[in-house]
Amino acid sequence: MLKQFSLVFFVLFACYVGVNSRELKHITKELEVNAPAYEAWELYRNLGLINIIVPKLPNVQSTQVLKGDGGIGLELSYTEEFIVIDDQKRVKAAKALEGDCLAFGCSVLIVEFDINEKSQNSCIIKSIISYAVKKEFEAKDPKPTLPIEAATQASKEYLERETINDS
């Protein structure tokens, strides 16, 4: 069901931004975390993830909330906007407004996080980066450089540490 939701979301969003869904390329990573899905979702749903990754990733500059309180429409200084936050499915997606591969040949960049319950005390954090390359840049094949894997790993370490401390 969640895979169907993700596919439908990307097709609809691609239509919204004027990109054929077949043109979207995807980079997908999954990471198992020894923490309940609801705790992971709380971290990803709100601004908690930003507070964890900024100090751990030296190439990520500090962030500033430009507009919003963590919900849909939130804009951060590294120019992405949250476009989907689904508490029931634990899905959050953001569209890049500028920067990263948009600066060197991509026309669309979407980052999605899905938090899937594996057991009562563990979950899978799935990150999906979807992007489209402008025709004139196809030969260069630009790819997103977002530190998603490092951010997900930092969130895993934080969540597992918090789970141990709560025990």
Side-chain angles (χ1 to χ4, degrees), residues 2 37 89-90 114-118 122-126:
L2 192 55
K89 293 182 173 96
R90 295 186 185 117
D114 302 341
I115 311 296
N116 299 301
E117 186 172 289
K118 184 173 180 186
S122 69
C123 62
I124 304 288
I125 299 174
K126 182 177 182 181

Side-chain angles (χ1 to χ4, degrees), residues 7-15 17-26 130-132:
L7 178 61
V8 169
F9 165 75
F10 283 119
V11 169
L12 290 174
F13 187 75
C15 293
V17 296
V19 175
N20 186 328
S21 64
R22 289 174 287 166
E23 295 173 1
L24 285 177
K25 298 178 181 187
H26 305 282
S130 300
Y131 63 102

Side-chain angles (χ1 to χ4, degrees), residues 79 95-109 132 134:
T79 63
K95 176 183 84 166
L97 301 176
E98 65 181 359
D100 199 72
C101 72
L102 295 179
F104 52 87
C106 291
S107 58
V108 174
L109 176 60
K134 296 176 184 174

Side-chain angles (χ1 to χ4, degrees), residues 21-162:
S21 64
R22 289 174 287 166
E23 295 173 1
L24 285 177
K25 298 178 181 187
H26 305 282
I27 301 169
T28 303
K29 302 285 182 184
E30 291 187 359
L31 185 64
E32 184 173 344
V33 177
N34 293 317
Y38 71 88
E39 287 182 11
W41 177 241
E42 277 303 308
L43 183 66
Y44 277 78
R45 197 246 183 262
N46 297 306
L47 294 173
L49 183 62
I50 292 168
N51 297 327
I52 291 167
I53 63 171
V54 169
K56 290 195 174 263
L57 303 173
N59 58 338
V60 174
Q61 298 174 358
S62 64
T63 58
Q64 175 185 2
V65 175
L66 299 176
K67 178 177 105 179
D69 61 358
I72 292 174
L74 173 80
E75 293 180 21
L76 299 169
S77 62
Y78 66 92
T79 63
E80 73 176 18
E81 178 182 5
F82 296 149
I83 54 173
V84 172
I85 299 175
D86 187 323
D87 290 321
Q88 185 177 12
K89 293 182 173 96
R90 295 186 185 117
V91 174
K92 184 173 188 174
K95 176 183 84 166
L97 301 176
E98 65 181 359
D100 199 72
C101 72
L102 295 179
F104 52 87
C106 291
S107 58
V108 174
L109 176 60
I110 306 164
V111 178
E112 178 184 338
F113 293 104
D114 302 341
I115 311 296
N116 299 301
E117 186 172 289
K118 184 173 180 186
S119 71
Q120 185 176 354
N121 295 314
S122 69
C123 62
I124 304 288
I125 299 174
K126 182 177 182 181
S127 57
I128 305 165
I129 300 174
S130 300
Y131 63 102
V133 177
K134 296 176 184 174
K135 290 197 184 297
E136 61 269 25
F137 291 93
E138 286 176 349
K140 293 182 181 181
D141 194 27
K143 292 180 178 39
T145 61
L146 297 169
I148 297 300
E149 261 184 277
T152 308
Q153 184 62 40
S155 70
K156 172 186 169 110
E157 292 168 9
Y158 173 83
L159 287 163
E160 290 180 349
R161 186 175 56 247
E162 290 298 308

